[in-house]
Amino acid sequence: MSGLEVVQVRYGERVTTKSAVLHDYASYGLPDGDLRMDYNFWVLRDGSRTMLLDTGYDIGARDWLGEQPVIPTADALALLGIDPLDVSTVITSHFHYDHIGHLGLFRNAEVVAGVAEYDYWFGKWHRAELDGEFATAGHLEAVRLAEREGRLKLVSEETEVSPGVTVHPVGGHSPGELLTVVEERLIMAADAAHFYEQIENEWPFFAFTDLGEMRRALTFINRLAAETGATVIPGHDGRVRDRFPALAGPAAGVATVLG
Ligand SMILES: [Zn+2]
């Protein structure tokens, strides 16, 4: 049985609609409806390691799409008994603001990212093309600092980044989007699949850099789940909290135990 506990932390939320966030939803001929969209990061830990998948961002400083703050990342970590300086690894699913906004808190961590993600965003930064994008120079500064300090690990293929934790570059939503698989029992889709509907129907999200790649990523998720029996966790679906228990203790209101 596994040593790693996987905890989802909801730091923000908003309500959206299927037609607003699912690509070409009208073409399915189905009624519209609300979707509870959670903004999460994830803690993977055992007796000797504390790792994060993504970091959240400061909603109070700027809500990009009407996100409502639930708890600042630093406060959530305190409730979980985690000192950011003790986090050994931060896997970045991709470099969008809501995933790497607080990367700078984790000054000692190895930062894992897709090489395609790095190339895409640093290329945009160098060409002064970040205006109106889903990441700012400030966000990328934290990546660059990790690189300067020798803490950046760029991956281009399936890679075990810590025992039992494997990342798979899939792209689609963003060029270097990573899936994270924990001990072949949890597939952390992050933004390769925001919502359960996308996994069940292989429906793309409205925001992508490569639509074909996004469709292939959804097919890959389902194939991996079928082969391993792993449970898929969509990255932004409020219903994850209905399907898994709250973490006991002071973080119960924001933390959900996935396994
Ligand atoms: Zn996201």
Side-chain angles (χ1 to χ4, degrees):
M1 193 45 206
S2 121
L4 280 170
E5 178 187 45
V6 181
V7 175
Q8 173 170 293
V9 179
R10 174 176 52 108
Y11 70 87
E13 61 189 359
R14 69 184 176 105
V15 176
T16 186
T17 61
K18 293 178 182 179
S19 61
V21 295
L22 298 172
H23 172 68
D24 207 10
Y25 184 72
S27 72
Y28 305 139
L30 296 168
D32 204 358
D34 285 349
L35 285 171
R36 282 154 51 211
M37 186 161 184
D38 283 357
Y39 286 73
N40 304 306
F41 65 87
W42 298 269
V43 175
L44 287 59
R45 63 184 176 183
D46 61 16
S48 59
R49 296 172 286 174
T50 300
M51 298 174 280
L52 254 66
L53 167 58
D54 295 331
T55 70
Y57 83 104
D58 185 353
I59 296 176
R62 174 182 174 187
D63 68 294
W64 293 52
L65 297 169
E67 293 93 346
Q68 301 294 317
V70 172
I71 187 169
T73 290
D75 295 357
L77 292 173
L79 288 180
L80 289 162
I82 295 169
D83 180 339
L85 299 180
D86 292 337
V87 171
S88 59
T89 304
V90 177
I91 300 167
T92 63
S93 65
H94 61 305
F95 288 173
H96 285 184
Y97 67 97
D98 54 319
H99 297 263
I100 67 162
H102 279 308
L103 188 59
L105 290 175
F106 305 96
R107 289 294 308 272
N108 297 321
E110 178 175 69
V111 174
V112 177
V115 67
E117 195 69 8
Y118 178 92
D119 289 346
Y120 178 78
W121 288 106
F122 281 77
K124 277 192 175 289
W125 190 8
H126 292 141
R127 296 189 303 271
E129 291 175 358
L130 288 176
D131 266 7
E133 275 291 355
F134 288 126
T136 67
H139 297 143
L140 299 175
E141 284 284 4
V143 178
R144 191 160 73 170
L145 179 63
E147 182 177 37
R148 283 189 180 146
E149 294 179 349
R151 296 184 287 111
L152 181 63
K153 181 185 181 71
L154 295 175
V155 301
S156 59
E157 59 188 358
E158 177 183 341
T159 303
E160 188 173 52
V161 296
S162 187
V165 181
T166 301
V167 296
H168 298 253
V170 292
H173 173 63
S174 194
E177 180 82 31
L178 300 177
L179 296 182
T180 301
V181 180
V182 182
E183 293 163 348
E184 293 208 331
R185 59 192 172 83
L186 289 172
I187 299 172
M188 311 301 295
D191 288 10
H194 291 63
F195 293 102
Y196 281 114
E197 282 88 345
Q198 292 183 257
I199 299 160
E200 289 155 8
N201 305 293
E202 300 190 0
W203 284 345
F205 193 67
F206 82 97
F208 49 79
T209 52
D210 186 323
L211 181 57
E213 205 169 60
M214 177 177 274
R215 293 186 192 279
R216 288 192 292 279
L218 291 163
T219 302
F220 177 71
I221 288 169
N222 280 328
R223 197 181 80 221
L224 200 57
E227 285 172 3
T228 61
T231 301
V232 183
I233 308 295
H236 281 276
D237 197 316
R239 290 163 294 190
V240 170
R241 286 184 282 126
D242 303 333
R243 299 187 185 192
F244 293 89
L247 181 71
V254 297
T256 303
V257 182
L258 303 181

